[in-house]
Amino acid sequence: MNEIILNISNIDMEFPTPKGPFTALKEVDLKVQKGEFVSLIGHSGCGKSTVLNIVAGLHQATRGGVVLNGKEVSSPGPERAVVFQNHSLLPWLTAYENVELAVKQVFKKTKSKAEIKEWIEHNLQLVHMDHALHKRPDELSGGMKQRVGIARALSMQPEVLLMDEPFGALDALTRAHMQETLMEIHNELKNTVIMITHDVDEAVLLSDRIVMMTNGPAAKIGEILDVKLERPRNRISLAETPEYSKLRHAVLSFLYEKQRKIETIPSRTQDESEKKQLADKVAAA
Amino acid sequence: MSSTLIHKLGNNTDIPTSVIAFVTNAFQQVVIPILGIFVFLVLWSFAAKNIETSLGNFPGPGEVWKQFGGLYSEHITEREKEEAFYQRQEERNAKKLAKNPDYIAKKRKYTGKETFLDQIITSLITVMSGFFLAAIIAIPLGIAIGLSKTLNTAVNPIIQIFKPVSPLAWLPLVTMVVSALYVSADPIVPKSFINSMITVTLCCLWPMVINTSVGVASINKDLVNVSRVLKLPPLSHIRKIVIPASIPMIFTGMRLSLGIAWMVLIAAEMLAQNPGLGKFVWDEFQNGSSNSLGRIMAAVLVIGFVGFLLDRAMLQVQRFISWDKESATR
C-alpha cells in the first residue's frame, strides 16, 4: 500500500504569451501512493488543471517531470485515463460504443471478442449504466453522461485515474449520487485517483489526501491535508463527527483566509503598472 | 343550477383542441403556400400580356402549360419512332440472315433528336458526375487542410482566388485542355460531356473544401484529447473522430456545392453544347419560333424544380447518414 506509483517531480510550467513567458506552476512536487485517492483543490485559475494535464501527458512541463511506475511520462496514454469535466463522449456513438472504442483500443490484442463485450458491460454496470447501453449521449442526462465517461476511463484499466472536476457541471443531488458511486468503485477496485475539485465537502468525503494549491501565477502546493477518516464513509454520519468538521474547517481556512482570492481585473492592473513603469523610464531618460 | 347547464352546453360545443391545432396547421402549411402560388400566377399572366417581344407575347402560365404538353408528346412520338426504327432493323437483318446464313447482322443505333426528357436526364447525369468528382477531391483535401495549420496557410490564398471565378471563364480553358488530352477515335463519352462536367467540378470544389476544412479544424478539443489519451493511430483518428465530428459541416458544404453545380451546369451546357437543359435553352433561343419563349420558360421552371429536388435529396441523405439530426432540419 505504501508503494509510490506516481512521482510528480518539481515541475514548472510556463506558457508563452506575447508579453513573455507566463509562469503558471512553480516547483510542484507530489508523490502519490498506489491506491491512494488524492484531491487537488484551489481557486480557479490556480493551475490545478495544468497539473492534471501534465500528468496526463497532454501538456509538457517546462522543467521537471512526471514518473509513473518508473517510466517518465512524455505523451498521453490509456494507463493515465482522463475523465473530462464535460464528459467528452463522442456524440455519434452510444454509451456502449463509446466504451467499446476505448476497450478495443487497449485490449484488442489481449482479449477475445466475447471478453471485450463482457468487459464493456461490466464497466457500464460498475457505474450503474447497464440500463442504457444503447442510448446516445443526447438521450442521457448530465449525470448519466458523466457516468459513461467514468466507465470509459475505468475500462482502460488505468494505473492512475485522472479526473478533472468530474462533477462540476452537475446539480447537488446528482453530484452526491455520483460521489457515492465513485466511493463504491474506489472501494472495490482500489484505483489510484487524482481528482480536481472546487467542492470542499467532496474533497473531504472522497480523499485520502487533499492537496491545496496557492493562487497563481507561479502556483505551488500550499498545504497537504491527510484525511484519516475510516472507510467506507457515510456522508450523513460523518457530518456530525468533530473530525470531519475539523478537516472541513482546515480546507476552508486555507482557501478563504490564507489564500483569499483578491478579485481584481488582472490585465488592467498589469497595464497600469506597465504604464507606470514606462512613465518612470521616460522620466528617467 | 343554470351555471352548470351552461357549463355542460359549453363543453358539448367545444371542439377538441387537437382538431383546432390540425386545422390551423393545415391552413398554414397548405392554404397559404397555395395562395402565394396563385397570386404569383395572376401577376405573371398579367405581366406577360403586357410584354411584347419580336417572338410574340411573353409566355404566360397557360402558354407554358401548353408547351409542357407539346414537349411531352414530342417525347412520346420520338420514342415511337425509335422503337419503329429498331423493329425495321431487326426485320431487315432477319430477312438477310434467312437469305444468307453467313451474314453478320449490322446493328446501328438510332440517332434521332434528343427530347426534353432525355435532356433533363443528361443534365442530371452531368451534374452528378461533376459533383461526385469534386467531392472525391474536395473532402480528403478539406480534411488534410483542416488538420494541418501549415497546409491551411499554404492553400488558403489559392482557394480564395479560385473560389469566385465564374464557370464561363474556366470553360474555354477546359475545352482546349480536354481536346488536347482526351483523344480517342471512339470516345466512351462525348467531349461536350467532359467539358461541362469538369467545369461543374471546378466551380463546386471550393465550398466543399472550405466547409470540410472548417468543420475539421473546429472539432471540440476534448474529443481530440480523448483520441490522444486512447493513442488512436492517425488513420483511425481520422476515421473514428475527425470524419464523424465534421460530417454536419461536410454536408453543409456538399449542399452548397450541389446548388452551385446545378446553376453552373446550365451555363456550361449552353457553351459546351452538352445535350442537356442548357443546350435546350440555347437551341430554342437560336430557333426563334413562336413556341420558343414558352419552351424556354418551361425549361426555367423545370430547372428550378430539379434544383429544389436535388437539394431535398441531399438533405435526405444527410438525415440518413449524419448523427446530428438537428443540423439536417433546414
Side-chain angles (χ1 to χ4, degrees):
Chain A
M1 193 67 188
N2 285 332
E3 184 195 340
I4 302 277
I5 186 172
L6 178 75
N7 187 357
I8 301 170
S9 170
N10 258 319
I11 52 175
D12 290 3
M13 187 72 195
E14 284 168 6
F15 291 106
T17 66
K19 291 176 181 172
F22 169 81
T23 311
L25 299 175
K26 189 84 188 155
E27 288 167 6
V28 172
D29 198 272
L30 182 69
K31 289 173 180 58
V32 180
Q33 291 171 3
K34 195 167 184 186
E36 198 177 16
F37 197 118
V38 176
S39 296
L40 287 178
I41 199 164
H43 290 289
S44 40
C46 76
K48 308 182 294 281
S49 288
T50 313
V51 174
L52 200 86
N53 282 336
I54 291 171
V55 176
L58 295 167
H59 286 166
Q60 290 297 314
T62 317
R63 269 178 294 279
V66 175
V67 178
L68 176 69
N69 263 341
K71 264 187 256 162
E72 184 167 357
V73 167
S74 58
S75 64
E79 74 280 3
R80 282 162 282 118
V82 185
V83 177
F84 296 92
Q85 180 174 8
N86 55 350
H87 68 80
S88 302
L89 297 177
L90 308 182
W92 53 91
L93 298 181
T94 62
Y96 181 91
E97 288 166 334
N98 263 290
V99 180
E100 187 185 34
L101 180 72
V103 173
K104 280 204 168 155
Q105 187 59 27
V106 179
F107 298 109
K108 207 171 0 186
K109 283 167 194 148
T110 51
K111 279 191 197 308
S112 72
K113 256 189 185 170
E115 281 173 324
I116 283 180
K117 185 170 186 289
E118 200 183 320
W119 180 241
I120 297 165
E121 281 167 3
H122 169 74
N123 277 288
L124 282 160
Q125 237 158 47
L126 271 181
V127 294
H128 308 302
M129 281 301 293
D130 40 332
H131 61 283
L133 293 181
H134 302 294
K135 288 208 165 139
R136 294 223 182 133
D138 59 358
E139 300 169 289
L140 299 173
S141 69
M144 284 157 114
K145 278 184 245 188
Q146 202 51 279
R147 281 172 193 271
V148 179
I150 293 171
R152 178 173 65 185
L154 288 173
S155 74
M156 302 176 210
Q157 264 188 344
E159 288 167 54
V160 187
L161 180 63
L162 306 172
M163 307 178 94
D164 188 353
E165 277 186 59
F167 314 137
L170 305 178
D171 64 90
L173 286 175
T174 313
R175 195 185 309 171
H177 236 78
M178 300 291 291
Q179 289 161 354
E180 299 295 333
T181 310
L182 188 57
M183 278 197 286
E184 237 172 73
I185 291 167
H186 184 243
N187 189 37
E188 198 177 324
L189 305 177
K190 308 273 186 258
N191 315 72
T192 314
V193 183
I194 299 181
M195 181 179 78
I196 291 177
T197 181
H198 271 130
D199 182 335
V200 177
D201 288 295
E202 182 172 279
V204 176
L205 183 68
L206 295 175
S207 331
D208 295 313
R209 274 196 296 164
I210 301 173
V211 175
M212 293 173 274
M213 293 190 60
T214 64
N215 286 337
K220 52 183 187 290
I221 293 174
E223 283 174 36
I224 297 180
L225 190 69
D226 276 313
V227 182
K228 290 199 171 114
L229 298 170
E230 213 158 295
R231 289 180 189 273
R233 296 171 183 169
N234 178 311
R235 73 175 70 236
I236 298 164
S237 52
L238 267 183
E240 288 168 358
T241 62
E243 205 180 345
Y244 181 83
S245 315
K246 228 167 76 190
L247 289 164
R248 214 173 159 268
H249 180 260
V251 180
L252 285 173
S253 87
F254 178 87
L255 288 177
Y256 299 107
E257 286 168 14
K258 295 173 203 163
Q259 291 294 324
R260 197 157 69 93
K261 190 142 184 166
I262 302 144
E263 289 297 335
T264 50
I265 302 154
S267 64
R268 198 174 188 185
T269 48
Q270 226 171 341
D271 280 353
E272 271 166 15
S273 66
E274 268 171 16
K275 262 185 211 158
K276 213 173 171 190
Q277 272 175 9
L278 204 71
D280 288 348
K281 267 185 202 165
V282 170
Chain B
M1 177 77 180
S2 63
S3 75
T4 51
L5 195 72
I6 288 168
H7 189 69
K8 267 187 190 163
L9 277 174
N11 259 355
N12 284 343
T13 50
D14 257 0
I15 306 159
T17 44
S18 62
V19 172
I20 296 174
F22 177 79
V23 170
T24 339
N25 203 29
F27 182 74
Q28 282 189 339
Q29 299 291 317
V30 180
V31 178
I32 290 180
I34 288 177
L35 217 66
I37 291 171
F38 181 74
V39 170
F40 170 73
L41 289 177
V42 168
L43 287 176
W44 174 16
S45 56
F46 179 75
K49 268 183 209 142
N50 292 302
I51 302 172
E52 193 79 46
T53 72
S54 58
L55 295 177
N57 258 346
F58 190 84
E63 170 68 14
V64 172
W65 182 248
K66 214 177 88 196
Q67 290 308 328
F68 267 119
L71 286 166
Y72 183 69
S73 62
E74 256 173 44
H75 173 76
I76 297 294
T77 358
E78 196 63 27
R79 276 296 129 86
E80 277 166 0
K81 267 193 202 165
E82 187 179 349
E83 217 164 275
F85 170 83
Y86 282 120
Q87 211 174 347
R88 277 203 307 278
Q89 176 170 278
E90 227 165 82
E91 278 166 14
R92 201 163 49 235
N93 280 336
K95 262 186 208 163
K96 282 189 178 169
L97 215 61
K99 263 188 207 165
N100 176 12
D102 295 334
Y103 176 74
I104 300 158
K106 274 184 205 152
K107 284 204 170 155
R108 286 195 182 83
K109 263 189 121 179
Y110 179 69
T111 50
K113 126 179 194 302
E114 297 249 356
T115 68
F116 187 59
L117 280 166
D118 295 334
Q119 283 170 317
I120 296 173
I121 305 284
T122 309
S123 279
L124 278 173
I125 292 173
T126 317
V127 81
M128 289 322 274
S129 320
F131 174 72
F132 279 119
L133 183 63
I136 289 167
I137 301 167
I139 292 172
L141 183 66
I143 291 173
I145 293 171
L147 288 174
S148 157
K149 251 197 179 145
T150 322
L151 191 61
N152 184 25
T153 341
V155 178
N156 197 35
I158 303 168
I159 294 176
Q160 298 302 335
I161 296 277
F162 281 141
K163 195 178 65 153
V165 175
S166 149
L168 308 181
W170 281 117
L171 196 78
L173 297 171
V174 171
T175 311
M176 295 319 288
V177 172
V178 168
S179 350
L181 297 180
Y182 186 66
V183 274
S184 152
D186 183 25
I188 310 163
V189 286
K191 270 182 193 164
S192 63
F193 170 80
I194 301 277
N195 289 339
S196 317
M197 182 188 83
I198 292 180
T199 309
V200 166
T201 303
L202 282 174
C203 291
C204 67
L205 206 55
W206 315 114
M208 267 196 267
V209 171
I210 292 169
N211 274 281
T212 306
S213 66
V214 169
V216 169
S218 57
I219 296 176
N220 188 340
K221 215 165 167 279
D222 283 328
L223 298 188
V224 178
N225 279 341
V226 168
S227 166
R228 288 179 68 198
V229 168
L230 284 174
K231 284 196 168 160
L232 289 181
L235 265 182
S236 33
H237 172 65
I238 290 174
R239 212 159 48 87
K240 294 195 169 143
I241 311 279
V242 172
I243 292 181
S246 45
I247 270 280
M249 277 296 268
I250 292 178
F251 266 101
T252 307
M254 284 171 91
R255 270 179 75 198
L256 275 174
S257 276
L258 191 57
I260 291 173
W262 186 241
M263 283 205 265
V264 162
L265 177 81
I266 304 302
E269 281 180 342
M270 275 189 187
L271 292 173
Q273 292 293 298
N274 185 43
L277 285 168
K279 185 171 188 291
F280 174 86
V281 171
W282 186 250
D283 287 351
E284 286 301 332
F285 178 55
Q286 295 301 326
N287 188 10
S289 83
S290 56
N291 286 337
S292 285
L293 288 184
R295 285 164 157 247
I296 291 173
M297 197 60 210
V300 165
L301 293 179
V302 166
I303 290 166
F305 193 64
V306 171
F308 168 73
L309 287 185
L310 284 175
D311 191 57
R312 289 290 116 172
M314 202 66 212
L315 200 66
Q316 285 305 321
V317 175
Q318 178 174 8
R319 275 195 195 142
F320 183 69
I321 291 178
S322 176
W323 51 272
D324 188 5
K325 305 295 171 201
E326 283 193 3
S327 75
T329 49
R330 290 172 297 275

